[in-house]
Amino acid sequence: ISHCIILILMDAMQRFNRISAVIRLLLSCAPRAYAQDNRYGETMGAAAAQTKLAGVYQHGHSGLQDPAKALAGFHRAASQGDVEAQYNLAKMYEDQDSVLFDYSKAHSWYRLAATNGHRGAQSRLGLLFEFGKGVAQSRVQAHMWYSIAFSNGNKAAAFWRDSLAADLEPYEILTAQILAQECLSSRYRNCGS
C-alpha cells in the first residue's frame, strides 16, 4: 500500500511541476501578449486599457519599456478622464530623474486626479503645497489636502498632516479643516485655489 501511495504522490508531483511550468511560461509572456492583444485600446478610446498598456510600457515588462509610449498612453487616457492615468502622468512629471521633470505639470495632473477622488494624488498634492513645488507654498492647502486624503483612507496622510500641524497656528489648522470640509461636501468642486 505504501508503494502505491508513493507512486500516486510521484505522479501528482510530476503533474504539479508541469502545471507550474506552464503557469510560469504564461506569466512571462503575459505582458507582451497583453500589449499585443490590447492595442485596440489605443484606437478605440478605452481609457482603462490605455492606462494598463501605458503601465506596461512605463515599467518595461518583458522588455517592452518605452517611456515615450507610456507618456503618450497616459496622456490619452488622462485626457479621457481616467483618474489612474492622471495620477501616473503626474508621477512621471514629478520624477526628478526624468527628462519630463516639471513640478508645475505634476501639480496640474495631481490636482485633476485629486479632484476626481484619487487619495494618492490628494496626498502628493499636499506635499507639493507644503514644500512649494510647482505651486506657491501654502501650508494651509497642504494640511487641507492631507486631511482630505486621510478622510479617503490614506493613513500615511494623517502622519504628514499631524507633522505639519505642529508648525501651524491654531487659526491655520482651523482654516485648513474648514477648507477640507467644503471641498469634501462639494464633491471636489470647491477645493480652494
Side-chain angles (χ1 to χ4, degrees):
I1 292 180
S2 64
H3 179 67
C4 289
I5 293 173
I6 291 173
L7 288 175
I8 291 170
L9 288 174
M10 286 176 60
D11 182 56
M13 188 65 98
Q14 287 176 344
R15 287 177 192 220
F16 174 77
N17 287 338
R18 283 193 301 265
I19 291 170
S20 66
V22 168
I23 291 171
R24 282 193 307 273
L25 177 64
L26 289 173
L27 288 175
S28 71
C29 296
R32 185 177 308 276
Y34 177 82
Q36 290 169 350
D37 292 343
N38 286 294
R39 291 196 193 280
Y40 71 88
E42 293 180 288
T43 57
M44 294 183 64
Q50 289 174 10
T51 299
K52 288 179 183 179
L53 181 57
V56 169
Y57 285 129
Q58 181 183 24
H59 299 293
H61 299 294
S62 295
L64 290 177
Q65 188 167 21
D66 188 335
K69 285 185 179 181
L71 179 67
F74 284 139
H75 261 288
R76 274 192 303 278
S79 297
Q80 294 174 30
D82 187 89
V83 178
E84 207 55 45
Q86 294 165 354
Y87 176 71
N88 284 318
L89 194 53
K91 285 186 352 185
M92 288 182 80
Y93 282 117
E94 189 183 18
D95 181 3
Q96 294 179 358
D97 295 329
S98 169
V99 295
L100 302 172
F101 175 65
D102 185 336
Y103 276 131
S104 180
K105 287 183 180 178
H107 169 262
S108 295
W109 285 110
Y110 277 137
R111 183 162 183 93
L112 187 57
T115 57
N116 283 320
H118 194 287
R119 64 184 181 201
Q122 293 163 348
S123 63
R124 296 303 303 169
L125 199 52
L127 287 167
L128 294 181
F129 273 111
E130 182 175 359
F131 297 104
K133 305 289 184 179
V135 65
Q137 184 177 21
S138 172
R139 298 178 323 161
V140 171
Q141 285 284 315
H143 190 286
M144 177 194 83
W145 282 111
Y146 291 147
S147 295
I148 292 167
F150 176 68
S151 72
N152 286 320
N154 186 329
K155 298 198 185 325
F159 171 78
W160 297 325
R161 180 199 61 204
D162 295 345
S163 295
L164 176 61
D167 296 329
L168 296 177
E169 296 294 326
Y171 77 90
E172 291 176 306
I173 295 170
L174 181 60
T175 301
Q177 291 170 339
I178 291 169
L179 290 172
Q181 187 57 42
E182 285 177 8
C183 180
L184 288 168
S185 64
S186 72
R187 295 186 180 170
Y188 306 111
R189 287 187 301 276
N190 185 19
C191 296
S193 57

